[in-house]
Every structure is written in C-alpha cells, then in structure tokens.
Amino acid sequence: MRDLNELTRPNIVRLKPYSSARDEYKGKQATVFLDANENPYNAPFNRYPDPLQTELKERIAALKQVGTGHIFLGNGSDEAIDLVFRAFCEPGTDNVVAIDPTYGMYEVCAGINNVEYRKVRLDDNFQFDARHMLAVADRNTKVMFVCSPNNPTGNSLYRTEIEKLLSGFDGLVVVDEAYIDFSSEPSLTLQLERYPNLIVLQTFSKAWGCAAIRLGMAFASVPVISVFNKIKYPYNVNQLTQSEALNALSHPEQVSGWVDKLLLERARMILEFRSLSCCLKVYPTDANFFLARMTDATGIYNRLVDKGVIVRNRSHVTLCENCLRITVGTPEENNTLLEALRLEHK
Ligand code: PMP
C-alpha cells in the first residue's frame, strides 16, 4: 500500500481539525459544564453527545472482535462513503474504480465530489475478476469499491478475487458488507490486520432493523479511521441514535431471530417466484432481497404500485434488464406480493 499521507488529499493532511468543547475535556469527574454554550435545562437533550461515541464503539468492538480504534461510526454508512471521497480523492484529478452494477451511492458521491468513477462490468454470474479492476486503475486511482453481498444482484463476490484486489492494489479497497448478516460468508473485518488498505462498511439499517436511526460503521486501520475522525462533523452521531443503538446491542438474540425468519421467508419466496408464470429467473442471493428476471418488469412494477405494493424496478441497471429487486418482508407482506403476481397473465 502507498503511504497513507500520499493517498490522502494534501489539504486534508495539512488540515488542523475543529476541536469541540467535548473533545478538549474528556474527564468524567466534573459536575459543572459551562464550556459548550449549552442550555443547563432540558436534560438529557441539552448536552452535546460524545463526539467519538466511546461507549457505543466499545460495545461494537466486543461484538465484532476488533479494537475500538478500528471503528468509525457515521450517519449511515452513506456518511462513510462520502468521507472516503472527501478524504482521499482530489476533485478533478483522482478517480475510483467500482464493480457495475452495484450500490448507487458510490457513483453519486463521486459525482458530488467531482471524482471520475470508472466502472468494471460484472460477468454473467455477477462475479468480478480482480485483474480487470487492476487493469483500469492508474496512478490517480485512490479507491476501489466492491460490495458483497452485492446490491442489487444479491450474491456474495468471490473472496479470492476480493483478496487479490486487497493485495494487488496500492490504494484503498472499500468492501461494503451492508448485507453480511444474511450471508454465511465470514466478514472481512477479521482481516483488518492483514490488509492495511481495507475499509469494511456495515450498517444498522438492515439485519439490525434500525434504518431510521441512521447508524453506519466503517472498520479500517487506525490511521485511516483517524483521517475520518479528522474531517467528520464534530457531533455526527446524535444522542438519540447512540442510545437506541446501545439498546439494540443489548438484544442481539432479537436480531438473529429476525435473520432466521427472513432467511426462511427468502427461501420460500424464491420457490414461489420460480413457479410464477411472470418470472423467468431468480438469481442466487446472500442478502435480505433477491433479484428476479420477469417477463415485463416495468409493466408488473406499475401494476404492483397501483395495488399499493412497492418493489424496486432495476430494469435500467447494467445486466439487470427486466429485473425486479424484491426485499423479503413479513410472511403477510410477501403473500400480498405473491397474490398480486399470481394475477399476472390471467
Ligand atoms: N451499502 C449498501 C450496499 C446498501 O444497499 C445501502 C442501503 N441501501 C447502504 C450501504 C446504505 O446504508 P445506510 O443506511 O447505513 O446508509
């Protein structure tokens, strides 16, 4: 890997970060806080939250078996994606390489930050070849993005190819594991020591059932996490979110119960879809959704909308012609979808 200071934008290397009142005073003994221009009334909401989310990181560190210094928490993993661009990619000069199709925010964040976005098309099995990714990279390529299990295809990418990228690329490799809790593949968080250029993204929005609280995680080397902390908003994860996440972390058995149920429903839905006359193919999935090739995805999508059932039309996405992406819901929600689809072609 290239020196991190060489990968980081020069203005960010030079930057003197903002130091908040709560950054400067970290002790726990004080009882009088007249340092942050807060209102003394309306506890507990009158106080700024912990800028580095220490307690939450300790709980996540124990769960994930990584040190707290390897964790960044943000306003969804979308915040971490944006910070990757703002920290490492010089607008108008640098570029990133990503698989295609994949999660749309990498390209949107590249556009917002005026960073060239190079796409490498997946093969017909929705897999990628590390050599193709490495071949489109040049000296100005700072970051590569892969997503496993991938969105919208649902499949896990071959671990051997991801590891070839990690060892063959001298910039940073983001592996987005938003859906890892639904997969039987092990997380790459266990490989952080081995690959200093690895950034793993995970989220509370999927298996943890907490999309509304906006909490995303990035796991990386201590120096990479320090760069994120240097440029993030001072209080980027609010107190309500920190408290609710601690609450969710106290009930991991609830999450594994949901995952078990969703995996059973996923298997049932795939079987049901295979028997539908309007469905041509269901692709293998390791996520809480699946991609299905339909006879007429847009027509079916519109008729479902009319019935108040919303799925994701991915027809215009690379390699996903005529495909709908179906999130696995409750048995009742899934049955409503199936009933509507059984009326197709009748
Ligand atoms: N990565 C992937 C692959 C996703 O599908 C999503 C959400 N659809 C995200 C990241 C964003 O997650 P968050 O809610 O944590 O911002």
Short mmCIF file of all heavy atoms in Angstrom, two decimals, residues 54 200 210 242 245 285 316:
data_model
loop_
_atom_site.label_atom_id
_atom_site.label_comp_id
_atom_site.label_asym_id
_atom_site.label_seq_id
_atom_site.Cartn_x
_atom_site.Cartn_y
_atom_site.Cartn_z
N THR A 54 -17.78 6.78 22.38
CA THR A 54 -16.89 5.81 23.04
C THR A 54 -17.61 4.56 23.52
O THR A 54 -17.16 3.43 23.25
CB THR A 54 -16.19 6.49 24.24
OG1 THR A 54 -15.71 7.75 23.79
CG2 THR A 54 -15.06 5.66 24.78
N VAL A 200 -13.95 -1.79 5.62
CA VAL A 200 -15.18 -2.58 5.57
C VAL A 200 -16.34 -1.71 6.06
O VAL A 200 -16.24 -1.07 7.11
CB VAL A 200 -15.07 -3.83 6.48
CG1 VAL A 200 -16.39 -4.62 6.45
CG2 VAL A 200 -13.92 -4.72 6.05
N CYS A 210 -32.72 -1.06 12.10
CA CYS A 210 -32.63 0.31 12.62
C CYS A 210 -32.32 1.34 11.53
O CYS A 210 -31.55 2.28 11.77
CB CYS A 210 -31.52 0.39 13.69
SG CYS A 210 -31.96 -0.38 15.25
N GLN A 242 -27.28 7.16 19.37
CA GLN A 242 -26.33 6.40 20.21
C GLN A 242 -27.10 5.59 21.26
O GLN A 242 -26.79 4.40 21.49
CB GLN A 242 -25.34 7.35 20.88
CG GLN A 242 -24.39 8.03 19.89
CD GLN A 242 -23.25 8.78 20.57
OE1 GLN A 242 -22.65 8.29 21.51
NE2 GLN A 242 -22.95 9.97 20.08
N ALA A 245 -28.99 2.65 19.62
CA ALA A 245 -28.07 1.60 19.16
C ALA A 245 -27.60 0.76 20.35
O ALA A 245 -27.50 -0.47 20.26
CB ALA A 245 -26.89 2.21 18.42
N THR A 285 -28.95 -15.52 -4.01
CA THR A 285 -28.78 -14.36 -3.12
C THR A 285 -28.23 -14.74 -1.76
O THR A 285 -28.51 -15.83 -1.25
CB THR A 285 -30.13 -13.64 -2.94
OG1 THR A 285 -29.93 -12.51 -2.07
CG2 THR A 285 -31.21 -14.55 -2.35
N HIS A 316 -33.36 -0.75 -15.67
CA HIS A 316 -32.44 0.09 -16.43
C HIS A 316 -31.02 0.02 -15.89
O HIS A 316 -30.15 0.78 -16.31
CB HIS A 316 -32.95 1.53 -16.45
CG HIS A 316 -34.31 1.61 -17.10
ND1 HIS A 316 -34.52 1.30 -18.43
CD2 HIS A 316 -35.53 1.86 -16.58
CE1 HIS A 316 -35.80 1.40 -18.71
NE2 HIS A 316 -36.45 1.72 -17.60
#
